[in-house]
Amino acid sequence: PPPPPPPPIFSETELEQAKELSRKQGYAEGIEAEKEQANTDAVTREKETMDAVQRISFQLMQLAITYKALVEQQVAELSELVLAIAKKVAGDALDARGVDTIVALVAQCLPVMIDKPKIVIELHTDSVEGAKSKIVPLLSQHGLEGDVQFRVTNNLGPHDVRIDWGNGQATRSSEVLWGEIEALLQHIKIIPELPDPNQQPTTT
């Protein structure tokens, strides 16, 4: 067989050029690898940031729901307390001046019933005697000459009265008044507006 070819011989210049080329290729590959790693790190950080924002948004929403429920509970308890105190204070005042409130309503109705032939005044059993003793002189003082009848009914409270003069009527009902007060308390807007729990948070 023929002898093997001699090994290649490179000059010093060629060796330097080969080293320089290898160094440049290694540098370029290193730069590209660093770019890819940087891109990967950036994507990872962005995903972690998005996940953190989502977690914080969810936690804030849960806190808002809890806070709103707590405020609503406190408002309900406060309304009940206010109503109880109001009933106690008003009840004491009515017990002391219940007959006066009945007589006051009769006095207010005098201008429209002064010439009526018949007037029916309905009162609770506990207040009929006391109210009658004040209403009769009041009607006489204003010259009312019609027939005035006092009727006892348990459909009214101790401090209530119903006046009927034929073509008109006036009623004072403690139950109706307290119903209006309770309805007013229920419609008082003191709960702050909070985010909708069903609304998804937006991120940028």
Side-chain angles (χ1 to χ4, degrees), residues 99 123-135 150 152:
V99 173
L123 298 163
H124 189 270
T125 305
D126 296 340
S127 58
V128 63
E129 293 300 329
K132 184 177 179 180
S133 64
K134 293 187 176 183
I135 293 175
F150 290 88
V152 176

Side-chain angles (χ1 to χ4, degrees), residues 92-111:
D92 293 343
L94 285 175
D95 290 338
R97 301 183 59 232
V99 173
D100 293 339
T101 60
I102 294 174
V103 175
L105 180 61
V106 174
Q108 291 176 4
C109 297
L110 275 175

Side-chain angles (χ1 to χ4, degrees), residues 44-58:
T44 301
R45 286 194 298 271
E46 183 177 1
K47 184 178 183 303
E48 291 175 349
T49 301
M50 293 293 292
D51 292 342
V53 170
Q54 292 291 340
R55 288 195 303 270
I56 294 174
S57 299
F58 178 77

Side-chain angles (χ1 to χ4, degrees), residues 2-65:
I9 300 175
F10 300 99
S11 65
E12 185 176 349
T13 301
E14 291 175 335
L15 291 175
E16 289 296 330
Q17 290 177 348
K19 290 180 181 180
E20 182 66 17
L21 180 61
S22 177
R23 187 184 65 79
K24 290 181 178 181
Q25 289 178 347
Y27 178 78
E29 291 176 356
I31 292 296
E32 189 65 28
E34 289 179 358
K35 288 182 179 180
E36 292 180 359
Q37 184 62 40
N39 291 334
T40 300
D41 293 343
V43 171
T44 301
R45 286 194 298 271
E46 183 177 1
K47 184 178 183 303
E48 291 175 349
T49 301
M50 293 293 292
D51 292 342
V53 170
Q54 292 291 340
R55 288 195 303 270
I56 294 174
S57 299
F58 178 77
Q59 293 172 356
L60 289 176
M61 193 62 64
Q62 295 300 314
L63 288 175
I65 294 173

Side-chain angles (χ1 to χ4, degrees), residues 46-88:
E46 183 177 1
K47 184 178 183 303
E48 291 175 349
T49 301
M50 293 293 292
D51 292 342
V53 170
Q54 292 291 340
R55 288 195 303 270
I56 294 174
S57 299
F58 178 77
Q59 293 172 356
L60 289 176
M61 193 62 64
Q62 295 300 314
L63 288 175
I65 294 173
T66 303
Y67 171 71
K68 183 175 182 180
L70 179 61
V71 170
E72 289 176 346
Q73 179 183 357
Q74 291 179 344
V75 168
E77 294 175 354
L78 180 60
S79 298
E80 292 178 0
L81 178 60
V82 170
L83 188 59
I85 295 175
K87 284 185 175 180
K88 179 65 171 64

